[in-house]
Amino acid sequence: MKEIIIKFWLIGLLVFSLFGCLDDRIAPELNFQTESAIELLVYLESHGDYINSTEIDEFVSAQEVYANRNSYLIIDVRSSSDFIIGHIENANNVDPKNLLDFVKSRNISLYPKIVIISESGQSAAYYTALLKLDGYAKAYSIEYGMAVWHNDFASIWLDSRRDFMTGPGESNYFTNEDFSKPPLTRLSQISLQNGSRTIKEKLEERINFLLAAGFNENPKDTSSFPKYNFNTLADEQASVKIESVYKYYNYLNNAFKNYFIICFGSNFLYKAHALEGPFASQGHLPSAVHYLPIMDLRSANDLQTIPTNQTVAVYDVNGQVSAKIVAYLRLLGYDAKSILFGANTLFYSRVNWVESLRPFAFKEEMIMNFPYVTGN
């Protein structure tokens, strides 16, 4: 399919008013019969643009949920076996694939907030983003998940804090080198199976597809690079361990084969400084490209510099905002994965050292040891 340059007037007056700099963005031909991702993009950016707003950083604390456990709609997306072992009072155990249908079945006006909880908070953030993108403004995830609710569930976070090394006795492989964003590329084509016609139907079909594919907080390591097909569930993992990413590290090129790495966050996360002492060399993963919150993922800015022909691995400080970014990218047809636990599992010591990053370092004192109930 040939590429064309989308001008404002081709999308319509609405887009003209919303995307002041959108012209000269490269996108697939506007043929809605083939379900171009540009249609979803235009809709999402004109309906709140959640992923580029300050709301992407909003979570609820365990303290808030405990104080409002009788009024909030609490949805636990863990497995039924984990739910039986222990869960928050009044929580509803919902399989992620049924999440949107479950929320639709409830009278949302009765609840001040919809709260999603998972083991570590990362999959909950992913599912929350999908609900937000569908217009559920009341949806939030509990920051750090059940790990902060009680020490009995904290091992998933406690065991993931570390200074990652590629092997015994080897140095950390990080760099402070700046890597430029690639040239613009066209968006993907997305095939929908259910005959959806309105943009809302198309969006929800896509969301239900991603909910069924899931987000695994404990994914398997892959021995060979998976081939992604966004029209099937050929690669259902929306998350990846750093070990799996480093399997494709090329020491000669100082880059990752098949992976496009995004460091999503502040300049303090991307670049280490001399004042950081022993951590001054631990800036970011080799070849990682820096994308700033609020601005860089807008269509009028740098969204389309993210390649569609590579697996995109995104990391932030703790894996929770990156999970939301990945939800958005996958919705638009990118093969995107969130690097689990983010910088907490890359260079925890540095995160705990840098003042602006320290609030995002998981610590034992965050664990509240609130009561929980067992059984169904």
Side-chain angles (χ1 to χ4, degrees):
M1 175 174 231
K2 70 175 184 176
E3 295 180 9
I4 63 172
I5 304 298
I6 299 298
K7 298 292 185 180
F8 286 37
W9 50 271
L10 286 178
I11 300 177
L13 186 59
L14 172 62
V15 178
F16 178 84
S17 66
L18 291 167
F19 306 109
C21 301
L22 184 60
D23 85 319
D24 292 337
R25 310 316 280 183
I26 301 173
E29 197 170 55
L30 274 180
N31 180 348
F32 294 163
Q33 297 300 312
T34 56
E35 315 304 348
S36 168
I38 192 68
E39 187 183 15
L40 288 179
L41 176 60
V42 169
Y43 178 84
L44 293 170
E45 288 196 342
S46 62
H47 287 74
D49 199 12
Y50 167 69
I51 218 69
N52 292 301
S53 71
T54 57
E55 292 180 28
I56 196 174
D57 292 318
E58 294 179 352
F59 298 87
V60 292
S61 66
Q63 297 95 313
E64 178 184 342
V65 175
Y66 182 68
N68 296 277
R69 61 193 183 279
N70 293 319
S71 59
Y72 286 0
L73 177 59
I74 304 172
I75 303 174
D76 191 322
V77 293
R78 297 176 300 153
S79 68
S80 58
S81 57
D82 286 339
F83 184 81
I84 289 171
I85 290 172
H87 58 267
I88 300 171
E89 182 183 5
N90 296 327
N92 301 269
N93 190 207
V94 178
D95 189 312
K97 68 182 180 183
N98 300 322
L99 180 60
L100 185 56
D101 288 339
F102 177 82
V103 172
K104 283 184 170 184
S105 73
R106 307 301 288 258
N107 185 350
I108 300 304
S109 65
L110 300 177
Y111 305 97
K113 289 185 179 181
I114 305 168
V115 176
I116 315 296
I117 189 161
S118 62
E119 293 95 332
S120 69
Q122 293 168 100
S123 64
Y126 178 80
Y127 298 130
T128 295
L130 293 174
L131 290 180
K132 287 277 196 182
L133 292 167
D134 197 36
Y136 288 95
K138 291 182 177 182
Y140 297 88
S141 61
I142 297 182
E143 194 167 24
Y144 301 108
M146 287 296 290
V148 294
W149 193 265
H150 195 282
N151 191 63
D152 289 350
F153 311 104
S155 62
I156 189 170
W157 259 107
L158 295 176
D159 295 344
S160 297
R161 304 175 303 169
R162 60 180 172 165
D163 297 323
F164 178 74
M165 300 175 71
T166 58
E170 296 185 28
S171 300
N172 287 316
Y173 284 91
F174 302 102
T175 179
N176 277 310
E177 181 181 355
D178 287 306
F179 295 94
S180 300
K181 296 181 177 70
L184 294 175
T185 186
R186 62 179 182 177
L187 293 174
S188 298
Q189 293 291 107
I190 300 173
S191 296
L192 300 176
Q193 306 299 320
N194 295 334
S196 300
R197 285 295 171 261
T198 69
I199 183 60
K200 185 70 169 179
E201 289 173 343
K202 295 172 185 178
L203 175 64
E204 292 195 347
E205 180 179 339
R206 185 70 183 154
I207 287 173
N208 276 319
F209 170 84
L210 295 176
L211 290 173
F215 184 106
N216 192 347
E217 296 184 339
N218 292 285
K220 63 179 183 293
D221 291 330
T222 53
S223 56
S224 60
F225 198 81
K227 181 174 176 59
Y228 177 71
N229 183 339
F230 52 71
N231 295 322
T232 70
L233 300 185
D235 175 21
E236 73 277 10
Q237 297 183 87
S239 56
V240 65
K241 293 180 179 179
I242 186 58
E243 292 89 345
S244 293
V245 176
Y246 256 101
K247 286 182 178 180
Y248 302 94
Y249 180 60
N250 186 316
Y251 291 86
L252 295 178
N253 297 332
N254 199 32
F256 296 90
K257 181 183 179 182
N258 296 324
Y259 274 109
F260 179 76
I261 309 293
I262 290 178
C263 172
F264 187 85
S266 69
N267 289 319
F268 293 101
L269 177 63
Y270 190 65
K271 296 290 286 288
H273 302 277
L275 293 178
E276 294 181 28
F279 313 110
S281 64
Q282 298 180 3
H284 49 267
L285 292 175
S287 76
V289 180
H290 189 204
Y291 286 77
L292 288 166
I294 307 300
M295 54 186 298
D296 280 356
L297 294 186
R298 296 182 188 276
S299 63
N301 294 334
D302 297 317
L303 172 66
Q304 287 178 242
T305 63
I306 300 174
T308 56
N309 62 347
Q310 291 177 276
T311 297
V312 180
V314 186
Y315 75 91
D316 69 335
V317 182
N318 57 23
Q320 295 183 103
V321 170
S322 63
K324 295 180 178 182
I325 298 301
V326 164
Y328 184 67
L329 293 178
R330 288 172 76 88
L331 194 63
L332 296 175
Y334 290 91
D335 175 15
K337 299 177 185 293
S338 179
I339 297 179
L340 288 165
F341 307 101
N344 272 254
T345 204
L346 296 175
F347 33 70
Y348 179 78
S349 296
R350 180 183 166 226
V351 173
N352 207 25
W353 174 284
V354 179
E355 184 177 358
S356 64
L357 303 181
R358 193 175 303 134
F360 305 99
F362 186 83
K363 307 176 187 70
E364 286 85 348
E365 55 263 34
M366 294 179 174
I367 304 171
M368 302 308 301
N369 284 317
F370 287 137
Y372 61 86
V373 296
T374 60
N376 291 316

